[in-house]
Amino acid sequence: MSIDFKTLGASIAALAALGLAGCSSGADDGGETEERGSSGETEVVRYDANPFPSTYTPFESGVTLIQGATVFDGVGGEFANTDILVENGRISAIGQGLEAPEGATIIDGAGRYVTPGVIDIHSHLGVYPSPSVNAHNDGNEVTGPVTAEVWAEHGVWPQDPGFDTALAAGVTTLHVLPGSANLFGGRGVTLRNVPSRTVQGMKFPDAPYTLKMACGENPKRVYGGRGQAPGSRMGNFAGYREAWQEAVEYRRAWNEYWEAAEAGEDVSPPRRNLELDTLMGVLDGEILVQMHCYRADEMAQVMDMADEFGYQVTTFHHAVEAYKIPDLLADHGACAAVWADWGGFKMEAYDSIPENLALTDAGGACAMIHSDSDLGIQRLNHEVAKALSDGRAMGLEISDAHAVSWFTSRPAQALGIDDQTGSIEEGKRADIVIWSGHPFSSYTLADQVFIDGALMFDRADPERRTIRDFMLGQPGEGDY
Amino acid sequence: MKTLLLSLAAAASLTVPALAQDVLVINNGRVVTNTDRGIIQSGTVVIRDGAIVSVGEPIEFEAEDVRVIDAQGGWITPGLFHPHTELGLIEVGAEGSTRDDAASESHFTAAIDVADGFNPAGTHIDEARSEGITRFAVFPSTGSAIIAGRGGLASSTGEPGSLFATRRFMLIDLSDSGASTAGGSRSASWAFLRAAIEDARFYPGRFMAHHEGDAIDRYDAAALAPVVRGEIPLVMMMDRASDIARALDFNAAYPTIRIIIAGAAEAHLMAEELAEADIPVIYDPMRNLPDSFDTLASTNEGASILHDAGVRTAYTTVGSDLYFNPRLLTQHAGIAVAHGAEWSEAFRAITLTPAQIFGVGDQYGALAPGYAGDVVVWNGDPLEVMSAPTSVIIGGEIQSLETRQTRLRDRYAEVVREGGAAYRH
């Protein structure tokens, strides 16, 4: 029986900070632990799994009624001439001819299209911000191949102007990862795309942590070039497996400790290891593996390794050859987050084809778009449009509405936040984009972008556009 | 119309089969001419012996006498002309053995000629062709010095001899990266350029006694001389507005030297001056971030500002890349339109304007009698991301749309367990 390490720690932190009980999903476990802790009997050592908690607070929103738009709900539905009512930051109703509550802001959606807010599952905004000067390289801890102990959020610069341009393109949520120099690059962080003085102010509340891993050429090039392991794909796997084995033993030690301590035995806790904390979180199913991997054969071996150590690969990123193995991905339950048509920059990207997304999807695997780029993140709707049309051109039947899921609900699922966002459904966070036209047209732009019901960007209103500190007083301030 | 009917009549009257095969009629599409005839809502293009002989309204003809492509109501346009690629020079970016774009260990500068490394069999040329690019400029990259060498112009047939014009322009990097190459500052870059210009200006005289000039050697000075004489343009890579201002000063000081500015992220801040000096720019409408301190003002609105000011503007794909994804040129042009550029200006920026900038605007980039038979038929508006070519014609020859990527696609169109796919080809 595994112990819910992350939820438990998070609950303790929440209780300590707020003096409340019963306010979050893990409260029962947390309450129990606190009782034991405060009763003065055996002190069971548990570390706070969430020491940098989200302080995100939605911006002010009112009641908004979007009327008469074509709505893509992000989970396969397309509805003509449909209204969406937003109240208290949530989607409260979807339908035709909805009544406008008193004081509601009414937005005419006629001729326009609505989708859920765009979600990018692969971004380096903040960790490789603009301008890309040396001082801003905070995305790769290139001092060793196993750095599961580093966290992307500690490298995120919330003043990256790329957040502003991404918002203007409809991006409401993004997952920022460490780079791919290392076998284990560290933890990723899921952010709300809001301006904030702090990273904590952007963190998506209760989003699961993720672990960035990397296959192939990058780690072996970076370290092999220094005469250090890994210097080959063989070395890559040896490096992963060695670390996973340590994590298995670390987890066993903690579980034995917790069991004994909870039984009242006088035991000492294992020595804490920040790297292995992260890997243990993966083995416990609390931290989602997001792995950079291009080649089909490598993904297949990684999935065997995941079975060997008892974890799940949530998403293969880039996955340029996912189209060769949709069946294997589906068997493992791994998603593929891909570009529409990038490739050629190294051998493992040589077999890139523009049908990758559509073909992987058609083969039964969970596929989605991603950007990995501060420019690409500004047009994920167009990237999906290309993938869609290339899929159709080879004869695959794919609806527009299904393709919208590739930049909305699919990445939400792969980040473990689909109960909150990624679709236009009653009760979900009101993360909404109103597009000037069909989102798959080159000429369409995001007109208005809402996050938790708050209007964060309005193309028609120069006041309603964010300008990060860096751009103040610079040439081009406010010009996206 | 008369011209067209006449030429069709001429075509139909050709009874010798060998000759008849040299006529190609592209019918029943929306014809973008890039001439003062604008767009013909439903028209026909006739190509004979590799060149366009007529463009006009649809007509009836005897199908046996000519090869016919029915555009089925799609779009018929000039082939795209990409003004800024490394196609044929790089196959795999990270593999030096597959690259011939830059020579960081060479002491040659201006003498470097991409023709020596250009490989028409590079697979990315096929991919560019299948997305409608029929002609492109081939750029060197900077190596050991800021003068990178000479570029050429190629067609995308992928055949030997497809590099149809060599030594057509000289590239120099005067951006922040050039400053680093030149020794650490922009001032060093410009000093090097001015000295190199003097070496070339006084070539061969100043080399009579010894091999070295002030900045470049004899062989490089000889290669740079056509730039000094105004025979080929000098393409200056730069982004920052202040660098463009220096280029304008340089242009005034050396009026015979023809300048093209490539990169040009902040060119919109200098749009009036560039138009006044008639200096063309090669510009990427996609770039809108301050990715360096040289591009603080870059904006998606830049293209429309440049067009409105009358700057001759061609689009590039530097925000994607220049060797694998030049094929995304139409998407980049679509971004310009979404942000205010006129469709016709944007389309010209990927067809006729690049051809004109490189001195071949009387042969490529428009559909008019006398122009090369470079025609693309599209299933919709070519600047829409969901549109694609259905036919690509270069010099009157119908091109294959098959690429290494379509071969992979077809091999894996259906899941085949284990090694079975290897027998599928």
Side-chain angles (χ1 to χ4, degrees), chain A residues 468-479:
Chain A
R468 287 305 199 267
D469 289 356
F470 174 75
M471 285 310 293
L472 284 184
Q474 302 280 16
E477 171 185 336
D479 293 339

Side-chain angles (χ1 to χ4, degrees), chain A residues 130-132 165 327 341 343-346 350-352 354-355 378-379 383 386 441-443 445 474-475 480, chain B residues 91-94 288-291 296 299-300 323-325 327-328 331 343 381 383-385 404-405 409 417:
Chain A
S130 299
S132 60
T165 46
D327 52 333
D341 46 25
F345 38 89
K346 46 186 171 174
Y350 194 55
D351 282 5
S352 164
E355 295 82 1
Q378 297 181 49
R379 47 195 57 84
E383 299 305 296
K386 289 186 291 182
S441 166
S442 295
Y443 310 130
L445 297 171
Q474 302 280 16
Y480 290 173
Chain B
E91 186 66 10
V92 179
N288 69 341
L289 281 168
D291 51 271
L296 294 173
T299 165
N300 288 140
Y323 63 93
F324 187 83
N325 270 331
R327 61 181 174 173
L328 301 183
Q331 185 182 9
W343 190 94
D381 174 351
L383 303 191
E384 281 284 9
V385 278
R404 183 171 177 278
Q405 294 185 12
R409 174 197 69 194
R417 293 261 172 185

Side-chain angles (χ1 to χ4, degrees), chain A residues 125 130-133 160-162 165 217 221 323-328 331 341-347 349-355 359 363 374-375 378-379 382-383 385-386 388-390 392-394 396 400 440-445 459 470-471 474-477 479-480, chain B residues 90-95 123-124 131 266 268-269 284-293 296-301 319-321 323-325 327-328 330-331 333-335 337-339 343 381-388 404-406 408-410 412-417:
Chain A
L125 288 179
S130 299
S132 60
V133 291
D160 183 353
T165 46
E217 293 185 32
R221 184 183 64 243
Y323 67 94
K324 298 182 181 179
I325 51 161
D327 52 333
L328 304 186
D331 288 350
D341 46 25
W342 281 21
F345 38 89
K346 46 186 171 174
M347 271 317 290
Y350 194 55
D351 282 5
S352 164
I353 66 170
E355 295 82 1
L359 205 41
D374 51 10
L375 294 176
Q378 297 181 49
R379 47 195 57 84
H382 292 158
E383 299 305 296
K386 289 186 291 182
L388 170 62
S389 71
D390 286 319
R392 283 180 180 161
M394 69 171 291
L396 301 175
D400 287 358
F440 296 154
S441 166
S442 295
Y443 310 130
T444 292
L445 297 171
R459 189 162 300 279
F470 174 75
M471 285 310 293
Q474 302 280 16
E477 171 185 336
D479 293 339
Y480 290 173
Chain B
I90 305 175
E91 186 66 10
V92 179
E95 296 297 337
T123 61
H124 310 317
E131 298 285 351
E266 292 190 342
H268 59 289
L269 300 181
D284 185 355
M286 184 186 273
R287 293 169 80 199
N288 69 341
L289 281 168
D291 51 271
S292 76
F293 276 85
L296 294 173
S298 63
T299 165
N300 288 140
E301 318 282 334
S320 294
D321 69 43
Y323 63 93
F324 187 83
N325 270 331
R327 61 181 174 173
L328 301 183
T330 52
Q331 185 182 9
I335 292 167
V337 176
H339 291 273
W343 190 94
D381 174 351
L383 303 191
E384 281 284 9
V385 278
M386 292 192 70
S387 297
R404 183 171 177 278
Q405 294 185 12
T406 63
L408 281 162
R409 174 197 69 194
D410 295 344
Y412 287 98
E414 276 160 30
V415 174
V416 179
R417 293 261 172 185

Side-chain angles (χ1 to χ4, degrees), chain B residues 38-386:
Chain B
I39 291 177
I40 299 165
Q41 292 305 329
S42 180
T44 301
V45 176
V46 182
I47 300 169
R48 187 168 58 204
D49 295 332
I52 293 170
V53 290
S54 80
V55 176
E57 303 296 331
I59 39 82
E60 299 293 321
F61 50 84
E62 296 296 322
E64 303 100 66
D65 293 353
V66 293
R67 290 177 300 161
V68 178
I69 292 173
D70 183 351
Q72 299 185 321
W75 292 51
I76 301 170
T77 74
L80 307 182
F81 194 125
H82 196 311
H84 186 204
T85 80
E86 291 154 356
L87 285 168
L89 297 180
I90 305 175
E91 186 66 10
V92 179
E95 296 297 337
S97 64
T98 74
R99 298 185 68 139
D100 277 298
D101 59 313
S104 55
E105 307 294 323
S106 170
H107 73 272
F108 289 111
T109 60
I112 287 169
D113 179 354
V114 296
D116 297 316
F118 179 75
N119 178 13
T123 61
H124 310 317
I125 294 174
D126 298 340
E127 291 145 18
R129 184 179 68 236
S130 74
E131 298 285 351
I133 293 169
T134 54
R135 308 269 162 181
F136 52 93
V138 184
F139 272 60
S141 306
T142 48
S144 57
I146 59 172
I147 296 177
R150 293 166 290 181
L153 306 177
S155 83
S156 61
T157 59
E159 288 166 8
S162 55
L163 191 75
F164 65 88
T166 59
R167 303 180 177 183
R168 286 305 284 254
F169 58 91
M170 183 72 67
L171 180 68
I172 182 164
D173 181 0
L174 292 166
S175 70
D176 59 341
S177 65
S180 169
T181 306
S185 74
R186 285 170 160 77
S187 311
S189 298
W190 284 96
F192 182 86
L193 171 60
R194 290 190 199 97
I197 293 291
E198 295 308 308
D199 287 339
R201 219 146 72 97
F202 296 105
Y203 172 87
R206 80 162 46 176
F207 294 93
M208 296 304 256
H210 56 92
H211 183 75
E212 288 180 7
D214 289 332
I216 54 178
D217 291 346
R218 179 166 53 198
Y219 193 61
D220 292 310
L224 193 59
V227 170
V228 175
R229 293 195 294 264
E231 291 163 11
I232 63 171
L234 180 63
V235 180
M236 295 182 165
M237 297 287 297
M238 53 175 57
D239 282 317
R240 202 169 79 179
S242 70
D243 293 333
I244 296 170
R246 292 307 280 165
L248 286 157
D249 292 343
F250 179 88
N251 184 56
Y254 296 95
T256 54
I257 297 180
R258 290 154 52 208
I259 291 173
I260 297 169
I261 292 176
E266 292 190 342
H268 59 289
L269 300 181
M270 303 296 294
E272 300 297 334
E273 294 85 346
L274 287 165
E276 174 78 16
D278 195 27
I279 294 177
V281 302
I282 298 174
Y283 178 86
D284 185 355
M286 184 186 273
R287 293 169 80 199
N288 69 341
L289 281 168
D291 51 271
S292 76
F293 276 85
D294 283 15
T295 65
L296 294 173
S298 63
T299 165
N300 288 140
E301 318 282 334
S304 71
I305 295 169
L306 291 166
H307 292 307
D308 289 349
V311 179
R312 288 193 287 148
T313 305
Y315 298 160
T316 176
T317 54
V318 71
S320 294
D321 69 43
L322 301 180
Y323 63 93
F324 187 83
N325 270 331
R327 61 181 174 173
L328 301 183
L329 191 57
T330 52
Q331 185 182 9
H332 288 241
I335 292 167
V337 176
H339 291 273
E342 293 289 333
W343 190 94
S344 58
E345 302 259 33
F347 192 68
R348 226 169 258 217
I350 57 174
T351 49
L352 184 58
T353 307
Q356 289 170 334
I357 286 176
F358 289 112
V360 289
D362 56 344
Q363 300 167 67
Y364 308 113
L367 297 183
Y371 273 77
D374 292 359
V375 182
V376 180
V377 181
W378 309 78
N379 59 9
D381 174 351
L383 303 191
E384 281 284 9
V385 278
M386 292 192 70

Side-chain angles (χ1 to χ4, degrees), chain A residues 249-328:
Chain A
E249 289 164 14
Y250 183 71
R251 178 167 177 255
R252 185 185 303 138
W254 274 102
N255 286 341
E256 283 170 4
Y257 161 74
W258 282 319
E259 198 176 313
E262 279 171 13
E265 291 174 35
D266 185 17
V267 284
S268 298
R271 184 183 168 87
R272 190 179 190 192
N273 180 311
L274 295 177
E275 174 200 314
L276 297 175
D277 274 356
T278 295
L279 301 190
M280 179 164 69
V282 172
L283 297 176
D284 285 339
E286 296 298 323
I287 295 179
L288 311 180
V289 172
Q290 308 285 348
M291 189 160 191
H292 156 122
C293 216
Y294 286 77
R295 260 170 41 182
D297 53 303
E298 259 177 315
M299 288 188 269
Q301 290 183 321
V302 165
M303 290 187 282
D304 273 357
M305 176 173 67
D307 290 343
E308 179 187 9
F309 291 98
Y311 70 92
Q312 168 80 33
V313 178
T314 301
T315 319
F316 285 111
H317 289 239
H318 313 331
V320 153
E321 295 187 3
Y323 67 94
K324 298 182 181 179
I325 51 161
D327 52 333
L328 304 186

